[in-house]
């Protein structure tokens, strides 16, 4: 059986070949094996948004932010996905969180 990283590489190769649905299927398989694989959730957020599956895209982008709560990029990506899904207030909230992380603790 392939390792999670090998599965991610397979999904990435499928995406590069233009088969986004197959890439998503492989990534979903990966998160069944490793529910905390950040890169897989990140890719699922992007790919599912492109496929118009906005609720699932947001779910995976939220999972990235949950797994990487101190990584500003997690919240920046979440903001972008919210924005592309038409959820402006959530996008602004996520971007504010990303800025807060970048700036460090208040007063500190």
């Amino acid at each position: 059986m392939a390792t999670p990283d090998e599965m991610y590489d397979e999904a990435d190769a499928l995406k590069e070949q233009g088969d986004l649905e197959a890439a998503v299927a492989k990534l979903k398989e990966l998160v069944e094996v490793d529910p905390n694989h950040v890169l897989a959730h990140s890719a699922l957020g992007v790919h599912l948004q492109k496929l118009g599956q906005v609720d699932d895209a947001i779910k995976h982008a939220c999972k990235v932010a949950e797994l990487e709560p101190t990584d500003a990029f997690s919240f920046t990506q979440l903001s972008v996905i919210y924005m592309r899904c038409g959820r402006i207030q959530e996008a602004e909230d996520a971007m504010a969180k990303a800025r807060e992380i970048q700036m460090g603790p208040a007063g500190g």
Side-chain angles (χ1 to χ4, degrees):
M1 185 174 162
T3 68
D5 288 338
E6 289 167 342
M7 293 171 78
Y8 181 84
D9 291 343
E10 288 173 39
D12 198 48
L14 289 163
K15 180 199 68 141
E16 291 300 318
Q17 295 163 17
D19 194 345
L20 211 48
E21 280 93 358
V24 164
K26 180 58 72 174
L27 289 166
K28 285 182 175 180
E29 200 181 308
L30 192 171
V31 296
E32 293 280 320
V33 173
D34 182 358
N36 296 328
H37 197 281
V38 174
L39 287 176
H41 285 291
S42 182
L44 278 165
V46 173
H47 301 339
L48 288 166
Q49 180 269 316
K50 287 181 181 171
L51 292 171
Q53 298 175 33
V54 296
D55 291 339
D56 283 345
I58 290 168
K59 180 181 82 173
H60 287 287
C62 286
K63 184 68 175 176
V64 173
E66 178 188 315
L67 292 169
E68 298 282 341
T70 59
D71 181 16
F73 180 76
S74 299
F75 289 93
T76 301
Q77 181 189 28
L78 178 58
S79 176
V80 168
I81 288 173
Y82 272 136
M83 185 74 69
R84 289 183 179 157
C85 295
R87 298 190 34 193
I88 306 308
Q89 186 58 55
E90 291 101 325
E92 290 175 357
D93 292 347
M95 188 52 70
K97 180 69 177 166
R99 284 194 203 100
E100 185 182 307
I101 292 167
Q102 287 174 322
M103 300 301 278

XYZ file of all heavy atoms in Angstrom:
815
model
N 0.827 -1.192 0.000
C 0.000 0.000 0.000
C 0.873 1.258 0.000
O 1.909 1.312 0.652
C -0.896 -0.011 1.241
C -1.872 1.125 1.283
S -2.988 0.931 2.691
C -3.578 2.583 2.782
N 0.445 2.247 -0.715
C 1.204 3.495 -0.825
C 1.159 4.266 0.496
O 0.176 4.199 1.237
C 0.630 4.352 -1.945
N 2.219 5.007 0.767
C 2.232 5.885 1.942
C 1.370 7.117 1.637
O 1.101 7.418 0.462
C 3.666 6.358 2.259
O 4.097 7.231 1.216
C 4.623 5.190 2.429
N 0.957 7.854 2.678
C 0.192 9.079 2.424
C 0.915 10.049 1.482
O 0.274 10.643 0.605
C 0.006 9.666 3.827
C -0.053 8.448 4.707
C 0.975 7.513 4.105
N 2.221 10.187 1.648
C 2.954 11.104 0.771
C 2.971 10.612 -0.678
O 2.881 11.413 -1.613
C 4.377 11.335 1.285
C 4.388 12.195 2.550
O 3.409 12.934 2.797
O 5.383 12.119 3.297
N 3.069 9.291 -0.866
C 3.011 8.735 -2.228
C 1.619 8.954 -2.824
O 1.489 9.270 -4.008
C 3.353 7.243 -2.207
C 4.824 6.960 -1.924
C 5.114 5.500 -1.597
O 4.176 4.736 -1.249
O 6.288 5.118 -1.679
N 0.593 8.797 -1.987
C -0.778 9.035 -2.456
C -0.956 10.497 -2.865
O -1.588 10.801 -3.877
C -1.792 8.662 -1.363
C -1.836 7.173 -1.065
S -2.826 6.793 0.398
C -4.482 6.932 -0.282
N -0.368 11.400 -2.074
C -0.442 12.827 -2.412
C 0.232 13.082 -3.759
O -0.304 13.812 -4.600
C 0.208 13.679 -1.308
C 0.117 15.148 -1.619
C -1.027 15.875 -1.302
C 1.160 15.806 -2.258
C -1.126 17.219 -1.617
C 1.067 17.149 -2.582
C -0.077 17.858 -2.251
O -0.178 19.189 -2.582
N 1.405 12.482 -3.954
C 2.120 12.642 -5.224
C 1.300 12.096 -6.396
O 1.290 12.695 -7.481
C 3.490 11.959 -5.168
C 4.459 12.680 -4.228
O 4.208 13.852 -3.874
O 5.466 12.051 -3.834
N 0.614 10.970 -6.188
C -0.254 10.412 -7.235
C -1.383 11.387 -7.561
O -1.706 11.617 -8.731
C -0.866 9.083 -6.780
C 0.105 7.923 -6.727
C -0.544 6.672 -6.111
O -1.738 6.401 -6.388
O 0.140 5.975 -5.344
N -1.990 11.965 -6.525
C -3.072 12.934 -6.727
C -2.562 14.153 -7.484
O -3.226 14.654 -8.398
C -3.671 13.349 -5.386
N -1.364 14.597 -7.118
C -0.779 15.762 -7.782
C -0.518 15.461 -9.260
O -0.765 16.305 -10.127
C 0.508 16.177 -7.064
C 0.921 17.583 -7.414
O 0.059 18.490 -7.375
O 2.109 17.783 -7.748
N -0.046 14.262 -9.546
C 0.195 13.868 -10.940
C -1.118 13.838 -11.722
O -1.168 14.287 -12.878
C 0.880 12.503 -10.994
N -2.183 13.348 -11.113
C -3.495 13.326 -11.771
C -3.971 14.745 -12.069
O -4.499 15.026 -13.145
C -4.523 12.597 -10.900
C -4.331 11.084 -10.801
C -5.118 10.520 -9.625
C -4.741 10.404 -12.104
N -3.757 15.639 -11.107
C -4.137 17.040 -11.316
C -3.341 17.628 -12.489
O -3.897 18.303 -13.357
C -3.895 17.862 -10.053
C -4.287 19.333 -10.225
C -3.652 20.237 -9.199
C -2.176 20.316 -9.419
N -1.486 21.541 -9.260
N -2.038 17.346 -12.523
C -1.182 17.861 -13.604
C -1.632 17.338 -14.969
O -1.465 18.011 -15.978
C 0.281 17.508 -13.351
C 0.892 18.239 -12.171
C 0.875 19.748 -12.327
O 1.157 20.258 -13.430
O 0.540 20.430 -11.331
N -2.211 16.129 -14.987
C -2.718 15.547 -16.238
C -4.092 16.110 -16.607
O -4.652 15.748 -17.628
C -2.809 14.025 -16.119
C -1.474 13.331 -15.958
C -1.607 11.900 -15.437
O -2.675 11.308 -15.473
N -0.504 11.358 -14.930
N -4.634 16.967 -15.738
C -5.916 17.588 -16.017
C -7.124 16.819 -15.508
O -8.252 17.163 -15.832
N -6.893 15.772 -14.718
C -8.005 14.972 -14.200
C -8.267 15.349 -12.741
O -7.876 14.635 -11.814
C -7.695 13.482 -14.339
C -8.929 12.609 -14.144
O -9.955 13.128 -13.626
O -8.869 11.425 -14.485
N -8.945 16.484 -12.560
C -9.182 17.003 -11.223
C -10.063 16.076 -10.394
O -9.822 15.890 -9.204
C -9.815 18.397 -11.332
C -9.511 19.395 -10.228
C -8.020 19.474 -9.917
C -10.047 20.757 -10.585
N -11.064 15.456 -11.034
C -11.945 14.544 -10.293
C -11.172 13.352 -9.729
O -11.384 12.957 -8.586
C -13.109 14.034 -11.160
C -14.254 15.014 -11.291
C -14.131 15.894 -12.532
O -13.128 15.777 -13.271
O -15.040 16.708 -12.758
N -10.275 12.786 -10.537
C -9.468 11.651 -10.069
C -8.509 12.101 -8.965
O -8.281 11.363 -7.998
C -8.703 11.023 -11.230
N -7.966 13.307 -9.102
C -7.077 13.832 -8.067
C -7.839 13.978 -6.749
O -7.345 13.590 -5.691
C -6.495 15.181 -8.499
N -9.057 14.509 -6.826
C -9.890 14.671 -5.627
C -10.195 13.308 -5.009
O -10.107 13.137 -3.784
C -11.188 15.448 -5.961
C -12.231 15.290 -4.866
C -10.871 16.918 -6.192
N -10.526 12.326 -5.836
C -10.817 10.983 -5.326
C -9.610 10.420 -4.578
O -9.743 9.834 -3.498
C -11.229 10.062 -6.467
N -8.419 10.595 -5.150
C -7.193 10.095 -4.520
C -6.933 10.827 -3.203
O -6.565 10.217 -2.197
C -6.004 10.253 -5.472
C -4.669 9.782 -4.937
C -4.632 8.327 -4.516
C -4.658 7.373 -5.672
N -4.487 5.964 -5.238
N -7.156 12.140 -3.181
C -6.939 12.911 -1.962
C -7.933 12.519 -0.868
O -7.582 12.460 0.310
C -7.029 14.413 -2.261
C -5.867 14.980 -3.076
C -6.213 16.356 -3.611
C -4.584 15.017 -2.255
N -9.179 12.240 -1.269
C -10.179 11.801 -0.285
C -9.779 10.452 0.303
O -9.958 10.206 1.499
C -11.570 11.736 -0.921
C -12.180 13.119 -1.126
C -13.572 13.016 -1.714
C -14.231 14.374 -1.812
N -15.590 14.292 -2.379
N -9.232 9.599 -0.544
C -8.718 8.297 -0.091
C -7.580 8.525 0.915
O -7.522 7.874 1.963
C -8.196 7.562 -1.328
C -8.036 6.080 -1.231
C -7.480 5.517 -2.550
O -8.045 5.797 -3.633
O -6.461 4.810 -2.472
N -6.723 9.470 0.612
C -5.581 9.787 1.470
C -6.056 10.243 2.850
O -5.543 9.775 3.866
C -4.736 10.880 0.807
C -3.347 11.180 1.364
C -2.618 12.114 0.428
C -3.348 11.731 2.754
N -7.046 11.151 2.911
C -7.467 11.644 4.224
C -8.246 10.597 5.014
O -8.384 10.725 6.225
C -8.228 12.998 4.163
C -7.314 14.097 3.639
C -9.500 12.921 3.384
N -8.713 9.547 4.338
C -9.286 8.404 5.067
C -8.165 7.679 5.813
O -8.343 7.236 6.941
C -9.946 7.418 4.097
C -11.177 7.951 3.399
C -12.410 7.879 4.265
O -12.591 6.877 4.975
O -13.192 8.846 4.229
N -6.999 7.561 5.152
C -5.837 6.878 5.722
C -5.151 7.764 6.779
O -4.765 7.297 7.844
C -4.822 6.511 4.607
C -3.532 5.949 5.188
C -5.438 5.529 3.627
N -5.006 9.038 6.459
C -4.324 9.995 7.341
C -5.183 11.253 7.463
O -5.016 12.202 6.699
C -2.940 10.328 6.779
C -2.152 11.271 7.678
O -2.685 11.707 8.732
O -0.997 11.592 7.343
N -6.120 11.272 8.429
C -7.054 12.396 8.559
C -6.396 13.742 8.862
O -7.039 14.777 8.715
C -7.948 11.980 9.736
C -7.727 10.532 9.931
C -6.359 10.220 9.402
N -5.127 13.724 9.254
C -4.443 14.972 9.595
C -3.399 15.390 8.561
O -2.502 16.178 8.861
C -3.784 14.844 10.975
C -4.818 14.663 12.064
O -5.929 15.185 11.975
N -4.475 13.921 13.093
N -3.510 14.873 7.338
C -2.555 15.213 6.275
C -2.893 16.615 5.749
O -3.815 16.789 4.956
C -2.621 14.166 5.159
C -1.434 14.191 4.252
N -1.290 15.124 3.244
C -0.330 13.403 4.195
C -0.154 14.895 2.604
N 0.446 13.859 3.169
N -2.145 17.592 6.225
C -2.453 18.999 5.936
C -2.454 19.297 4.444
O -3.366 19.957 3.933
C -1.456 19.927 6.682
C -1.673 21.384 6.286
C -1.601 19.765 8.184
N -1.434 18.828 3.726
C -1.358 19.130 2.290
C -2.551 18.559 1.527
O -3.050 19.192 0.587
C -0.058 18.588 1.693
C 1.213 19.340 2.069
C 2.440 18.633 1.497
C 1.152 20.775 1.596
N -3.021 17.390 1.926
C -4.178 16.790 1.256
C -5.429 17.636 1.476
O -6.170 17.911 0.537
C -4.403 15.364 1.750
N -5.645 18.077 2.716
C -6.805 18.927 2.994
C -6.685 20.255 2.253
O -7.670 20.765 1.714
C -6.949 19.178 4.497
C -7.474 17.999 5.249
N -8.774 17.548 5.121
C -6.876 17.172 6.139
C -8.953 16.506 5.908
N -7.810 16.241 6.530
N -5.482 20.790 2.201
C -5.248 22.047 1.501
C -5.588 21.912 0.015
O -6.297 22.738 -0.557
C -3.786 22.470 1.685
O -3.538 23.689 1.060
N -5.090 20.851 -0.603
C -5.359 20.610 -2.026
C -6.852 20.356 -2.260
O -7.423 20.857 -3.230
C -4.529 19.433 -2.527
N -7.476 19.602 -1.370
C -8.914 19.346 -1.507
C -9.702 20.651 -1.452
O -10.654 20.837 -2.213
C -9.402 18.382 -0.420
C -9.164 16.907 -0.719
C -9.321 16.071 0.538
C -10.099 16.416 -1.820
N -9.309 21.551 -0.578
C -9.992 22.841 -0.505
C -9.962 23.567 -1.837
O -10.985 24.046 -2.328
N -8.792 23.610 -2.444
C -8.623 24.302 -3.726
C -9.363 23.577 -4.849
O -10.128 24.187 -5.603
C -7.118 24.441 -4.065
C -6.928 24.991 -5.467
C -6.433 25.324 -3.036
N -9.148 22.275 -4.968
C -9.726 21.515 -6.082
C -11.251 21.458 -6.011
O -11.928 21.600 -7.036
C -9.167 20.088 -6.129
C -7.677 20.015 -6.287
N -6.904 21.037 -6.789
C -6.808 19.012 -6.004
C -5.637 20.673 -6.806
N -5.553 19.443 -6.332
N -11.780 21.239 -4.818
C -13.239 21.153 -4.683
C -13.895 22.492 -4.991
O -14.978 22.538 -5.580
C -13.618 20.664 -3.277
C -13.313 19.190 -3.022
C -13.382 18.873 -1.535
C -14.255 18.285 -3.807
N -13.237 23.581 -4.613
C -13.772 24.904 -4.955
C -13.824 25.058 -6.474
O -14.816 25.524 -7.020
C -12.916 25.996 -4.291
C -13.378 27.406 -4.586
C -12.711 27.986 -5.816
O -11.514 27.850 -6.017
N -13.487 28.628 -6.655
N -12.770 24.631 -7.161
C -12.744 24.713 -8.627
C -13.839 23.865 -9.254
O -14.361 24.202 -10.320
C -11.374 24.281 -9.174
C -10.293 25.308 -8.921
C -8.965 24.853 -9.493
C -7.882 25.877 -9.213
N -6.555 25.399 -9.556
N -14.191 22.758 -8.594
C -15.235 21.873 -9.106
C -16.639 22.324 -8.683
O -17.621 21.676 -9.020
C -14.984 20.435 -8.637
C -13.748 19.755 -9.222
C -13.473 18.429 -8.515
C -13.904 19.536 -10.721
N -16.700 23.433 -7.937
C -17.997 23.964 -7.535
C -18.601 23.300 -6.309
O -19.760 23.529 -5.977
N -17.830 22.482 -5.619
C -18.310 21.804 -4.410
C -17.910 22.644 -3.195
O -17.035 22.281 -2.416
C -17.734 20.389 -4.347
C -18.175 19.532 -5.522
C -17.521 18.168 -5.527
O -17.240 17.598 -4.475
N -17.278 17.631 -6.712
N -18.597 23.799 -3.057
C -18.146 24.815 -2.112
C -18.205 24.372 -0.656
O -17.299 24.681 0.110
C -18.889 26.150 -2.315
C -18.581 26.731 -3.683
C -20.374 26.019 -2.124
N -19.235 23.667 -0.246
C -19.320 23.255 1.160
C -18.169 22.331 1.538
O -17.555 22.490 2.601
C -20.663 22.581 1.458
C -21.822 23.564 1.404
O -21.591 24.792 1.539
O -22.962 23.118 1.222
N -17.860 21.386 0.665
C -16.740 20.483 0.923
C -15.407 21.234 0.870
O -14.499 20.956 1.660
C -16.726 19.317 -0.068
C -17.768 18.257 0.268
O -18.298 18.268 1.396
O -18.058 17.420 -0.607
N -15.286 22.169 -0.064
C -14.054 22.958 -0.167
C -13.805 23.711 1.134
O -12.690 23.684 1.683
C -14.159 23.944 -1.342
N -14.843 24.350 1.643
C -14.723 25.113 2.888
C -14.405 24.188 4.056
O -13.558 24.500 4.899
C -15.998 25.935 3.130
C -16.070 27.074 2.098
C -16.060 26.465 4.560
C -17.408 27.781 2.026
N -15.032 23.022 4.086
C -14.779 22.047 5.164
C -13.294 21.679 5.216
O -12.687 21.661 6.288
C -15.642 20.800 4.941
C -15.455 19.732 6.008
C -16.299 18.517 5.730
C -15.574 17.640 4.728
N -16.181 16.350 4.475
N -12.697 21.416 4.063
C -11.278 21.025 4.033
C -10.363 22.204 4.349
O -9.361 22.039 5.043
C -10.922 20.366 2.701
C -11.488 18.995 2.574
N -10.993 17.909 3.269
C -12.539 18.526 1.860
C -11.703 16.833 2.982
N -12.650 17.185 2.127
N -10.707 23.395 3.873
C -9.903 24.577 4.186
C -9.959 24.872 5.687
O -8.949 25.251 6.291
C -10.386 25.775 3.376
N -11.125 24.675 6.293
C -11.252 24.850 7.747
C -10.398 23.825 8.490
O -9.793 24.142 9.527
C -12.714 24.730 8.174
S -13.726 26.156 7.759
N -10.341 22.610 7.974
C -9.541 21.553 8.598
C -8.058 21.927 8.595
O -7.351 21.692 9.576
C -9.767 20.215 7.869
C -9.052 19.048 8.499
C -9.617 18.678 9.854
C -8.964 17.420 10.408
N -9.429 17.103 11.749
N -7.599 22.550 7.502
C -6.198 22.996 7.438
C -5.936 24.014 8.544
O -4.940 23.915 9.270
C -5.855 23.602 6.058
C -4.458 24.217 6.059
C -5.963 22.542 4.967
N -6.840 24.978 8.695
C -6.676 26.001 9.728
C -6.721 25.369 11.130
O -6.009 25.800 12.032
C -7.744 27.075 9.578
N -7.546 24.345 11.288
C -7.641 23.637 12.562
C -6.340 22.882 12.868
O -5.859 22.885 14.002
C -8.812 22.645 12.484
C -9.030 21.784 13.693
C -10.080 20.708 13.441
O -11.149 21.031 12.868
O -9.819 19.539 13.784
N -5.757 22.259 11.836
C -4.526 21.483 12.014
C -3.291 22.376 12.153
O -2.306 21.982 12.774
C -4.326 20.519 10.835
C -5.323 19.371 10.743
C -5.187 18.650 9.403
C -5.143 18.387 11.893
N -3.343 23.559 11.554
C -2.204 24.483 11.566
C -2.657 25.850 12.095
O -2.594 26.859 11.387
C -1.649 24.646 10.132
C -1.112 23.369 9.517
C 0.268 22.998 10.035
O 0.966 23.868 10.576
O 0.640 21.825 9.898
N -3.095 25.913 13.361
C -3.704 27.148 13.873
C -2.749 28.330 14.030
O -3.201 29.457 14.195
C -4.271 26.719 15.227
C -3.416 25.567 15.639
C -3.059 24.855 14.359
N -1.445 28.074 13.944
C -0.488 29.177 14.071
C 0.156 29.533 12.728
O 1.087 30.332 12.680
C 0.619 28.836 15.085
O 1.302 27.652 14.637
C 0.040 28.590 16.476
N -0.348 28.950 11.647
C 0.196 29.204 10.315
C -0.703 30.203 9.588
O -1.837 29.893 9.247
C 0.272 27.887 9.534
C 0.846 28.075 8.135
O 1.460 29.135 7.870
O 0.679 27.169 7.310
N -0.182 31.407 9.373
C -0.970 32.459 8.721
C -1.457 32.018 7.346
O -2.571 32.371 6.941
C -0.144 33.742 8.609
N -0.645 31.233 6.627
C -1.049 30.807 5.288
C -2.334 29.977 5.327
O -3.157 30.070 4.415
C 0.062 30.031 4.577
C -0.350 29.584 3.201
C -0.405 30.486 2.147
C -0.731 28.274 2.967
C -0.827 30.091 0.880
C -1.154 27.866 1.695
C -1.192 28.784 0.664
N -2.507 29.174 6.372
C -3.730 28.367 6.488
C -4.964 29.251 6.447
O -5.951 28.945 5.769
C -3.729 27.588 7.807
O -2.631 26.720 7.872
N -4.897 30.360 7.162
C -6.039 31.270 7.222
C -6.147 32.121 5.958
O -7.248 32.486 5.549
C -5.960 32.130 8.490
C -6.237 31.324 9.724
C -5.208 30.741 10.430
C -7.535 31.103 10.151
C -5.447 29.967 11.558
C -7.801 30.334 11.283
C -6.755 29.757 11.981
N -5.006 32.409 5.325
C -5.040 33.134 4.050
C -5.735 32.278 2.999
O -6.604 32.757 2.269
C -3.609 33.495 3.590
O -3.001 34.295 4.604
C -3.630 34.248 2.270
N -5.375 30.993 2.929
C -6.022 30.096 1.973
C -7.512 29.951 2.289
O -8.347 29.971 1.385
C -5.369 28.719 1.959
C -6.035 27.809 0.930
C -5.592 26.368 0.987
O -5.198 25.870 2.020
N -5.685 25.697 -0.140
N -7.840 29.838 3.562
C -9.245 29.748 3.964
C -10.001 30.990 3.506
O -11.105 30.895 2.966
C -9.341 29.576 5.486
C -10.742 29.511 6.089
C -11.558 28.374 5.489
C -10.642 29.365 7.610
N -9.385 32.149 3.666
C -9.996 33.398 3.236
C -10.259 33.400 1.729
O -11.348 33.775 1.274
C -9.095 34.583 3.608
O -9.643 35.788 3.120
N -9.269 32.967 0.957
C -9.413 32.925 -0.502
C -10.554 31.984 -0.902
O -11.378 32.313 -1.764
C -8.082 32.506 -1.173
C -8.276 32.176 -2.644
C -7.041 33.597 -0.999
N -10.632 30.835 -0.277
C -11.687 29.875 -0.618
C -13.057 30.429 -0.228
O -14.001 30.351 -1.015
C -11.392 28.496 0.004
C -10.214 27.869 -0.766
C -12.624 27.587 -0.037
C -9.667 26.598 -0.196
N -13.155 31.026 0.958
C -14.417 31.680 1.331
C -14.798 32.735 0.288
O -15.952 32.820 -0.139
C -14.298 32.357 2.698
C -14.618 31.491 3.885
C -13.806 31.510 5.018
C -15.765 30.685 3.928
C -14.112 30.751 6.140
C -16.064 29.923 5.039
C -15.245 29.958 6.147
O -15.552 29.209 7.254
N -13.827 33.548 -0.117
C -14.084 34.628 -1.081
C -14.603 34.043 -2.398
O -15.604 34.508 -2.939
C -12.793 35.417 -1.321
C -12.958 36.628 -2.199
S -13.788 37.981 -1.366
C -12.554 38.459 -0.179
N -13.923 33.021 -2.901
C -14.323 32.413 -4.175
C -15.679 31.734 -4.081
O -16.336 31.521 -5.097
C -13.261 31.416 -4.641
C -11.999 32.112 -5.088
C -10.978 31.137 -5.624
N -9.795 31.847 -6.072
C -8.599 31.303 -6.170
N -8.424 30.024 -5.861
N -7.582 32.013 -6.592
N -16.083 31.380 -2.860
C -17.381 30.743 -2.652
C -18.458 31.776 -2.314
O -19.590 31.409 -1.991
C -17.272 29.687 -1.552
S -16.195 28.298 -2.005
N -18.089 33.059 -2.372
C -19.059 34.121 -2.154
C -19.378 34.394 -0.696
O -20.379 35.045 -0.395
N -18.560 33.917 0.202
C -18.822 34.110 1.641
C -17.865 35.169 2.175
O -16.845 34.882 2.782
C -18.725 32.771 2.369
C -19.800 31.851 1.794
C -20.114 30.577 2.418
N -20.029 30.445 3.845
C -20.059 29.261 4.436
N -20.182 28.153 3.724
N -19.976 29.175 5.753
N -18.244 36.424 1.905
C -17.347 37.562 2.121
C -17.017 37.791 3.593
O -15.862 38.007 3.939
C -17.955 38.846 1.503
C -18.292 38.621 0.015
C -17.009 40.035 1.677
C -17.188 38.074 -0.851
N -18.013 37.753 4.479
C -17.730 38.005 5.897
C -16.759 36.968 6.462
O -15.810 37.319 7.160
C -19.023 38.026 6.722
C -18.789 38.427 8.186
C -18.138 39.798 8.326
O -18.633 40.784 7.801
N -16.995 39.856 9.013
N -16.983 35.694 6.135
C -16.069 34.658 6.606
C -14.674 34.867 6.026
O -13.665 34.637 6.694
C -16.578 33.254 6.240
C -17.814 32.840 7.006
C -19.091 32.997 6.197
O -19.197 33.949 5.400
O -19.994 32.163 6.380
N -14.602 35.313 4.765
C -13.309 35.584 4.128
C -12.572 36.685 4.883
O -11.367 36.569 5.154
C -13.516 35.986 2.669
N -13.300 37.739 5.233
C -12.669 38.847 5.960
C -12.218 38.403 7.349
O -11.144 38.790 7.812
C -13.635 40.033 6.043
C -13.833 40.697 4.689
C -14.876 41.807 4.711
O -15.503 42.048 5.767
O -15.065 42.434 3.652
N -13.027 37.580 8.008
C -12.661 37.079 9.341
C -11.390 36.224 9.274
O -10.504 36.356 10.130
C -13.805 36.259 9.942
C -15.031 37.103 10.278
O -14.935 38.356 10.289
O -16.097 36.506 10.515
N -11.323 35.352 8.276
C -10.150 34.489 8.128
C -8.902 35.315 7.815
O -7.817 35.043 8.335
C -10.390 33.435 7.047
N -9.043 36.346 6.970
C -7.899 37.199 6.640
C -7.437 37.972 7.874
O -6.232 38.131 8.107
C -8.243 38.162 5.497
C -7.043 38.931 4.978
S -5.593 37.921 4.522
C -6.185 37.106 3.061
N -8.389 38.415 8.694
C -8.029 39.109 9.933
C -7.228 38.173 10.842
O -6.245 38.593 11.472
C -9.292 39.612 10.643
N -7.626 36.918 10.911
C -6.911 35.925 11.726
C -5.503 35.717 11.175
O -4.536 35.631 11.942
C -7.689 34.600 11.741
C -7.053 33.516 12.553
C -7.094 33.789 14.036
C -6.500 32.622 14.807
N -6.218 32.969 16.193
N -5.370 35.653 9.854
C -4.033 35.504 9.242
C -3.136 36.682 9.617
O -1.972 36.489 9.977
C -4.161 35.385 7.717
N -3.680 37.900 9.549
C -2.891 39.092 9.903
C -2.502 39.066 11.382
O -1.383 39.434 11.737
C -3.692 40.361 9.592
C -3.723 40.682 8.129
C -4.211 42.104 7.878
N -4.727 42.195 6.530
C -6.004 42.155 6.200
N -6.928 42.063 7.134
N -6.375 42.215 4.949
N -3.434 38.646 12.221
C -3.178 38.560 13.660
C -2.005 37.611 13.928
O -1.117 37.925 14.738
C -4.450 38.042 14.334
C -4.423 37.988 15.827
C -5.738 37.395 16.360
O -6.826 37.883 15.992
O -5.645 36.424 17.136
N -1.970 36.487 13.233
C -0.881 35.516 13.393
C 0.436 36.126 12.919
O 1.471 36.001 13.582
C -1.190 34.210 12.642
C -2.373 33.484 13.319
C 0.039 33.306 12.575
C -2.954 32.365 12.495
N 0.397 36.809 11.782
C 1.628 37.419 11.238
C 2.181 38.481 12.158
O 3.389 38.632 12.274
C 1.349 38.026 9.858
C 1.163 36.988 8.782
C 0.751 37.605 7.454
O -0.022 38.552 7.413
N 1.243 37.037 6.373
N 1.304 39.247 12.812
C 1.735 40.348 13.664
C 2.254 39.867 15.016
O 2.939 40.594 15.706
C 0.569 41.331 13.901
C 0.019 41.942 12.635
S 1.239 42.860 11.699
C 1.189 44.404 12.588
N 1.871 38.651 15.405
C 2.282 38.138 16.703
C 1.330 38.591 17.793
O 0.355 39.285 17.529
N 1.638 38.232 19.028
C 0.743 38.587 20.140
C 0.596 40.109 20.268
O 1.552 40.836 20.085
C 1.465 38.026 21.376
C 2.485 37.083 20.873
C 2.790 37.483 19.450
N -0.618 40.523 20.567
C -0.906 41.961 20.710
C -0.061 42.542 21.834
O 0.057 41.962 22.902
C -2.385 42.165 20.974
N 0.551 43.684 21.542
C 1.318 44.387 22.569
C 2.640 43.713 22.892
O 3.326 44.116 23.817
N 3.002 42.698 22.073
C 4.085 42.020 22.501
C 5.379 41.766 22.140
O 6.346 41.503 22.468
